[in-house]
Each structure stands twice: as structure tokens, then as C-alpha cells.
Amino acid sequence: MALMRSRTGFLAAALLLALALTACTGAPLEPSWGDISLLDNNILVTFGNVMIQLNPVDGSPVNLYDPEGQIRTDPATQTARRWEITGTDATTRFYQAPFLWDEDLLLAPSYDRKLVEIENSAARLVNVTGYPLPGHIVAPVLPADDLLYVPLSENDLLALNRDDLSQAWRFATRRGIWAEPLLVDDTLYVTSMDHNLYAVDSVTGQEIWRLDLGGAIASAPVLHDGALYIGNFARKLYKISLDGVILAEYSTVDWVWGTPTIVDDTLYAADLVGNVYALAIDGDGFVELWRQQTAARAIRPSVVVYQDRVIAASRDHFVYWLNRETGETIVRHDVRAEVMADLLLLEPTEGLDIREPLLLVSTMARDNLLFAFAADGNSEPRWKYPR
């Protein structure tokens, strides 16, 4: 791996170097970042070897119910049973949330080389050993109609038949895949730690084209107006055509990990020394609107845009709400631990019965695992788990 030239980004670079080496050696990653998602209009938090569902209104654990609608109880203690899954051994690590596989069955990618089957209604591991895989997983599995696309962190992309999880095809990379592939029509766009962005036929697994971007790529591309946008460890943000031509690039101060966020033809991104960027997408180029040194340490998650604010969370323990026009910090909140997981913005819907939009922030500390803030950041957390 190339020698680092960043000055103030030394600690962030050391972190990423360690993680990149882990991807090559297959050693367990510890501590883990988690994942936040929605399942049945409840919050599903995945961290280490634990998954738990929480009520989005107050952060309380979700109870299990029997077919008659009665709360299930533990026969020994007579206490309510919660929707909670614990991995079978210390090597189990769920970096990503499970996804719906078939009716009441979830499939969870585990770092220890397997897919774990879960009965959703009973919060029960169906098969303890899981379905074996030829590599570790730190990125989401992409479910499609007939296939599941499984990125392996040390090497390849697998396509598994959805009905029986047999292998349909395998696409090789040299350094592994740390991000969910992007499926557009019949083409998968796959980023790799080997510096390449690949276009792959989603049915056959055949390579259509590859593009060397000069640095490892740990995030998924985003599609906007017929072009791909991506950041990487070469300290660049790119606009790339769907046939693999670089249309524009912009140099950042340090490595970019998170997927860019695009709202109203403006791209927002952050780097691993705490800068946040706003770039206007102007024809085939980028126009810098502002760049702010926001955080004291790395910003790994993608930024979130909510109304007139840009939200970024850092390894320096803070979540920042920035003025969308200027990038200046309006307010920040201390979550008392490093933030590595992507943020989740929840807005009230018919099924999601919350009073206001919420921003969910997951940290790397079990005693401060999840915070729910009002999306505008103008108050202390609405709730926290654990309490």
C-alpha cells in the first residue's frame, strides 16, 4: 500500500491501514461498527454478535407476540420475551443488518464466513452453523429477484441462487469488496479495495469494463442523472459515465470513505481528517461551494442532508449539524463514543408512527449504542439505548 502523505490525518490513515490489512489477512475486526435499519417499522440495531429491535417512538425493546397477539413470556422468569438475537460464539460479527429472504425468514451476513437464517416472528436462529461462504463479509448483501449478490471482504463477489443459496457465479477481485454493489438495469457496479470500479453483467458475472481509480474504494457509488459518483482513498471524488469514462474529478484533503450524498444537484461528502465538502454538479465538472474543517477526527459515515442542514458524525465523538449554504457548524452533540456506522434519517409515515423526523446515530460503545435526535439537531437526544 502506498506511503501516506497526509499530515493531520495520520491517525485516520493508521486506522484505515489496519482495516485494509485486515481485509487481506481475514483477521477479525474489533471493535466493530454496527448498522441501523428498519424492519417491520421498528429499528433494527446490529452490533458485534447482537441484533435487537427497538420501538422508534421511545427506544424501548420490542416484545415478541404469539399468533393470538399475546406477548410471549419466558417460562422460567415469566418476563416478556424481546426481539433479540445473539450470535452462537465469540467469532460471530454482524456488520450489516439481515434482510428478508422468504416470508418469515431473514438472512443475516456474518463476518465469520456464513449466512445465518433467522425466524423473524420468533427471533430465533434456525440453523446454528449457517450457510458457509468462502470469505468474510463486512458489506451488505444485495438481494435481487433470483440472485443474492454477496461481497467478500478479502476477494470476490458471489452470486447465489436465491432459492437454495447455491453459487451461480463468482467474480474475482484482488483485494476484496467493502461496499454493497449498485445494480442498474442488468449491470452491477462494484467497487473494490484493489482500486478498481467494475461493471459486471448481473446475470452471467462477466466483466463489462473496469476503471482503475488509483486508490482503494470502500464505499458504493451513487447514481445521479445517468452518471456514477464515488470517493476513494486516492483523495478524490469522481463523476463517471456508465460506460466507464471519468467525466470530472475533485481533489479532497484526505481519504474519502462514505458514499457521496446528492441533493438538488449538489454533492456532499466528508473525508478522514474531518472536512465536509459541498460541490455543485455543473455540466461535466464540479464547482466547490464550500469546504469546512468540521471535526477533529475522521468522518467515516456518509453525510445526511435534512432541509437546510448537512449532518456529519465523527470519530471525535460528536455529531455536527452544518448550515447547508455555508458549511458553518450550527450545533453539535456529544455522543460519548466514536461513530463509524452510517446514520439513519426517519420521517413519519402511515406505518412509522413517530411525532417528528428523527436522526439515528449508532456509536462503537455498547453503553451508548444508539441515540435518537430530532432531525434538525435543535435539542438533546429524544432517547438513547441503552438507557
Side-chain angles (χ1 to χ4, degrees), residues 311-323:
I311 309 166
S314 171
R315 292 187 65 216
D316 69 3
H317 301 193
F318 284 94
V319 183
Y320 298 85
W321 280 257
L322 312 179
N323 183 302

Side-chain angles (χ1 to χ4, degrees), residues 309-311 319-322 329-331 333 359 373-377:
R309 303 196 175 185
V310 177
I311 309 166
V319 183
Y320 298 85
W321 280 257
L322 312 179
T329 298
I330 299 171
V331 65
H333 290 287
L359 180 80
F373 291 96
D376 60 15

